Amino acid sequence: MAREMAAEFNPMMEMLCDFPRPVVTAVNGIAADLSGADGCRHLVDRLPDVDILVNNLGIFEPRPFEQISDEDWLRFFETNVLSGIRLARHYVPGMRSRGWGRVGTGGVRRHGSSWRGSGGREDIRFAGSVQLYPSRA
């Protein structure tokens, strides 16, 4: 399973290959509920610039499709989609002005009959990214 997960992370590792300056080794945590605009503002107020943004926030509720209300769909959309849009909208201009940056979008999908243990496996997928520098292709 470790090899499979490493292979799935490969697209994100490629984002780091041409990083233009030394990677900072200090890591700090910021507690923020990114499911709404206030939480996103809280984060960007405390961390105004980033070079790499990985949007990996997502929620769901295991219910039959026809039992999910409009309010729940709106909550899922605000958390799963708008949180990443809000952060990217803030961080992308700085990435462009510095001439380098990456925005990756990821998620964890459930396979099998359980989240952990036998019968299930966690599968990391990166659904897309935004390239902020001229392509070499």
Side-chain angles (χ1 to χ4, degrees):
M1 186 163 130
R3 288 178 201 256
E4 290 175 2
M5 290 184 74
E8 295 295 334
F9 274 114
N10 192 28
M12 294 304 287
M13 295 301 122
E14 289 178 20
M15 289 183 170
L16 297 174
C17 289
D18 60 346
F19 195 68
R21 57 185 172 271
V23 176
V24 176
T25 58
V27 176
N28 297 306
I30 300 171
D33 177 2
L34 301 179
S35 65
D38 290 341
C40 291
R41 271 192 297 279
H42 175 80
L43 175 65
V44 301
D45 286 348
R46 283 153 188 77
L47 185 65
D49 293 306
V50 300
D51 292 307
I52 299 171
L53 172 64
V54 178
N55 294 309
N56 196 33
L57 173 61
I59 61 170
F60 82 105
E61 294 176 12
R63 290 186 279 160
F65 173 79
E66 63 275 4
Q67 293 178 13
I68 302 173
S69 68
D70 288 352
E71 292 79 20
D72 288 336
W73 279 114
L74 290 170
R75 183 171 49 89
F76 296 160
F77 185 81
E78 181 158 19
T79 300
N80 299 354
V81 178
L82 286 181
S83 62
I85 289 172
R86 288 178 180 120
L87 295 176
R89 190 172 44 214
H90 172 83
Y91 290 123
V92 164
M95 293 176 185
R96 283 199 174 118
S97 70
R98 290 186 299 278
W100 197 94
R102 301 291 184 279
V103 177
T105 302
V108 177
R109 295 191 327 179
R110 180 179 167 221
H111 294 278
S113 60
S114 66
W115 184 252
R116 290 186 172 83
S118 63
R121 71 181 177 104
E122 297 173 7
D123 205 11
I124 308 296
R125 300 263 182 229
F126 290 96
S129 62
V130 176
Q131 183 173 317
L132 300 173
Y133 65 94
S135 174
R136 295 181 191 147

